[in-house]
């Protein structure tokens, strides 16, 4: 019986460990402008992630109706901040981001916002 308890306990510990490792990926937790928001032209775009990012391998692209929009991005700890080269004009923008954590997990995603 104690062998069964030990096995169940070991199995539970393995599941907790596997779950914590699976959660060790950077996820976008907040952004400004927010997803699906309609805003006045922002001077900066800020993306906050759930984990520290590897600056050399993380970043984002901004596009307006599929056309690239130049952005100068900086990465510090868990945050990406991008400054558009020119004021953003009215339209639907898409941000396509990629984030790599120090443990080399790569995540990517996208979201949209609209400038009025």
């Amino acid at each position: 019986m104690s062998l069964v308890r030990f096995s169940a306990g070991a199995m539970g510990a393995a599941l907790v460990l596997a779950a914590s490792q699976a959660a060790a990926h950077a996820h976008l937790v907040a952004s400004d402008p927010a997803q699906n928001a309609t805003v006045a032209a922002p001077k900066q775009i800020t993306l906050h992630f759930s984990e520290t990012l590897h600056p050399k391998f993380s970043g984002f692209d901004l596009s307006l109706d599929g056309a690239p929009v130049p952005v100068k991005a900086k990465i510090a700890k868990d945050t990406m901040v991008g400054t558009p080269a020119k004021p953003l004009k009215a339209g639907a923008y898409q941000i396509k981001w990629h984030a790599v954590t120090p443990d080399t997990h790569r995540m990517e995603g996208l979201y949209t916002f609209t400038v009025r």
Side-chain angles (χ1 to χ4, degrees), residues 43-46 59-62 69-75 80-86:
K43 294 183 192 246
Q44 289 188 324
I45 297 166
T46 306
F60 70 90
D61 296 313
L62 178 65
V69 176
V71 175
K72 183 178 180 182
K74 292 182 180 181
I75 300 171
M80 293 183 202
V81 178
T83 305
K86 297 179 182 178

Side-chain angles (χ1 to χ4, degrees), residues 53-106:
L53 304 175
H54 195 298
K56 190 173 183 179
F57 302 110
S58 301
F60 70 90
D61 296 313
L62 178 65
S63 61
L64 171 63
D65 298 324
V69 176
V71 175
K72 183 178 180 182
K74 292 182 180 181
I75 300 171
K77 295 188 181 183
D78 62 353
T79 303
M80 293 183 202
V81 178
T83 305
K86 297 179 182 178
L88 299 181
K89 55 186 176 179
Y93 288 83
Q94 182 181 62
I95 293 177
K96 186 174 182 182
W97 58 265
H98 56 279
V100 177
T101 56
D103 64 1
T104 71
H105 287 120
R106 179 183 168 96

